[in-house]
Amino acid sequence: MRFCPNKLFTKARNLIGIGLASSAAVSAAGASSSANTSSTYTTTTTSDSPSSTSSFPVDSSTDDDQRRKLCIIGSGPAAHTAAIYAARAELRPVLFEGWMANGVAPGGQLTTTTDVENFPGFPDGVSGSDLMDRCRRQSLRFGAEIITETVSKVDFSKRPFRIFTDSRTVLADAVIVATGAVARRLSFDGAGDGPGGFWNRGISACAVCDGAAPIFRNRPLAVIGGGDSAMEEANSLTKFGSKVYIIHRRDNFRASKIMQGRVLKNPKIEVLWNSEVVGAYGDEKSGGRVLGGIKVKNVVNDDVFDLKVNGLFFAIGHEPATKFLNGQLELDPDGYIVTKPGTTMTSVKGVFAAGDVQDKKYRQAVTAAGTDLMLIRLGCGYYTLWVQPFPRPCVNARCLCIGLPFFDHSWCMAALDAEHYLQEIGTHEDTSN
């Protein structure tokens, strides 16, 4: 194996910029499609894919003013990363960021957090809203069109696809769904984010995200839940808290036996069986600004007692934002979009999924990259670095993904997969290097 020359590293570094792998110029994908005057698309794959053709029903009476090559639905890191990649590839994407979609402001779940301390590039931390504002500005900078409307329904039964809001309909040749997943939260006195509530002031739904915060270090903490996620979060919190309580309303866990074993053997964890939280109150030393304790009810005898904890973490699952799809994409039993392994392709050709809406395992603003570096020879004869455990290198040399520690690779993959698909159907205009 020959090593990558220094000039390739220099070029890759310059292309990547701040945390994003650059999309280089795209080779011509054939003549432009005449789909608007034809009753079908005849699709021929490019030379790096097996040769095949297929025909799709197409509505020839489309409004060119509302026609787009690519539509992105979502407003979090996944959506904006896809928008940046697509805009730099000159696909002129339109992004529907929603308006309080799923009860969350444009920007997704990160807008509900205060300090984000585990996102590379911000050694002093950054507020979730500031981080997402930066992502939004970057999408706009490269030419993405952002519409602050919530997508209420879609029609993937014919091409071009139709995306509906309450006030408009947009037609798109390709769609990226990046609507995320919302952590399930319990409702009790003191659980909200309004006056008198301690959400983000001691109550959280992500121990991995927030557990290392100073307000939780060497303090008693509690986790609500009985599944594998609750077990993982409780074990994780023992590295920071002085003691961790698991509060579960039943007398047995539904978590896997191995996860239960780890929890029950941990001396820093105590399980409160047949119990539920019915209230939260502030810490007197802080003037009630942060969580000071919770009220716990025994569901067997109805006794209520105080439990002094400075952190409470919901670990009762997430709900993917897929209801608006109305069953038009294949979903797993938990409602997450099913994608083809190693890609962002869904059950409908031309529709892609990225981020939490198809990832129920990690659900992080940034997925840590592996440490093993490999040199992968591309079809052009050059070598580029591939960081495991990414499922595959990018579609081709356009991405030059040297590390990519900043973003979940699927976000980038969705834009590249969509770009590749648009080349196949002949709607991507030729560009030059």
Side-chain angles (χ1 to χ4, degrees):
M1 176 179 289
R2 58 187 175 89
F3 290 96
C4 188
N6 290 335
K7 64 180 180 181
L8 180 57
F9 281 102
T10 303
K11 180 179 179 181
R13 184 184 65 243
N14 292 337
L15 285 171
I16 288 172
I18 304 174
L20 291 174
S22 172
S23 289
V26 183
S27 59
S32 298
S33 172
S34 57
N36 288 341
T37 59
S38 173
S39 61
T40 61
Y41 281 117
T42 299
T43 300
T44 304
T45 59
T46 54
S47 58
D48 58 346
S49 302
S51 177
S52 63
T53 61
S54 59
S55 297
F56 311 128
V58 176
D59 185 351
S60 60
S61 60
T62 58
D63 183 352
D64 289 339
D65 292 338
Q66 295 298 318
R67 181 73 175 265
R68 298 292 191 276
K69 293 177 181 177
L70 175 63
C71 176
I72 301 169
I73 307 173
S75 65
H80 282 294
T81 304
I84 292 165
Y85 270 80
R88 295 194 65 181
E90 299 184 0
L91 296 180
R92 301 180 182 87
V94 58
L95 183 151
F96 283 98
E97 65 178 356
W99 175 250
M100 297 307 294
N102 305 303
V104 181
Q109 290 190 85
L110 279 179
T111 61
T112 69
T113 65
T114 50
D115 293 329
V116 179
E117 297 181 324
N118 57 0
F119 200 94
F122 297 92
D124 299 319
V126 60
S127 73
S129 58
D130 184 29
L131 177 60
M132 291 317 306
D133 182 60
R134 291 170 183 246
C135 291
R136 191 180 192 275
R137 295 202 309 267
Q138 194 165 1
S139 294
L140 290 170
R141 174 195 169 197
F142 289 112
E145 178 186 356
I146 298 179
I147 300 176
T148 309
E149 296 177 11
T150 300
V151 173
S152 57
K153 62 179 180 178
V154 294
D155 182 0
F156 294 153
S157 64
K158 58 186 175 182
R159 292 161 172 79
F161 303 120
R162 282 165 168 72
I163 298 90
F164 301 90
T165 71
D166 290 340
S167 62
R168 74 178 75 202
T169 301
V170 167
L171 294 84
D173 296 307
V175 176
I176 294 176
V177 180
T179 45
V182 180
R184 294 190 179 100
R185 293 164 57 174
L186 295 176
S187 179
F188 51 79
D189 187 26
D193 47 9
F198 296 97
W199 179 254
N200 280 328
R201 294 191 295 131
I203 300 180
S204 167
C206 183
V208 175
C209 311
D210 303 328
I215 63 171
F216 300 132
R217 288 186 176 272
N218 300 314
R219 307 287 180 85
L221 309 172
V223 174
I224 299 177
D228 281 353
S229 294
M231 307 298 107
E232 291 177 2
E233 300 227 333
N235 271 312
S236 174
L237 289 172
T238 59
K239 294 182 290 186
F240 311 110
S242 59
K243 185 178 182 66
V244 177
Y245 298 94
I246 296 180
I247 302 171
H248 187 46
R249 61 177 293 106
R250 298 181 178 84
D251 59 1
N252 58 80
F253 290 134
R254 61 183 184 279
S256 60
K257 293 298 182 181
I258 188 170
M259 294 302 298
Q260 293 186 43
R262 291 174 184 173
V263 161
L264 298 174
K265 293 176 183 178
N266 194 318
K268 294 182 70 174
I269 295 177
E270 180 179 341
V271 181
L272 303 180
W273 302 104
N274 300 311
S275 300
E276 64 180 4
V277 178
V278 294
Y281 54 88
D283 181 20
E284 294 181 358
K285 294 180 180 179
S286 69
R289 293 192 304 273
V290 298
L291 183 69
I294 55 178
K295 293 185 179 296
V296 181
K297 176 183 176 180
N298 185 294
V299 297
V300 176
N301 55 29
D302 291 335
D303 287 345
V304 178
F305 62 93
D306 284 345
L307 184 66
K308 299 291 184 182
V309 294
N310 296 100
L312 177 64
F313 297 85
F314 298 146
I316 53 177
H318 286 69
E319 183 175 351
T322 53
K323 290 181 179 179
F324 75 99
L325 297 171
N326 196 27
Q328 296 185 70
L329 296 180
E330 181 185 356
L331 307 178
D332 73 4
D334 296 318
Y336 289 85
I337 297 176
V338 174
T339 54
K340 182 180 178 181
T343 77
T344 60
M345 301 175 186
T346 69
S347 57
V348 174
K349 188 171 184 178
V351 180
F352 308 87
D356 289 5
V357 77
Q358 56 87 48
D359 171 24
K360 61 183 178 182
K361 181 177 181 180
Y362 296 106
R363 294 191 297 263
Q364 295 297 300
V366 53
T367 298
T371 56
D372 293 335
L373 293 176
M374 297 176 61
L375 285 172
I376 301 298
R377 185 170 186 176
L378 302 173
C380 60
Y382 288 102
Y383 287 94
T384 187
L385 289 173
W386 177 31
V387 179
Q388 295 179 330
F390 295 156
R392 60 178 173 85
C394 283
V395 175
N396 57 30
R398 293 194 303 272
C399 185
L400 290 175
C401 49
I402 309 297
L404 276 181
F406 294 89
F407 292 95
D408 177 345
H409 202 52
S410 73
W411 310 346
C412 145
M413 286 166 59
L416 293 173
D417 284 344
E419 180 188 359
H420 192 64
Y421 168 76
L422 289 171
Q423 289 183 50
E424 290 182 357
I425 66 173
T427 61
H428 194 315
E429 296 177 357
D430 294 346
T431 60
S432 59
N433 286 327

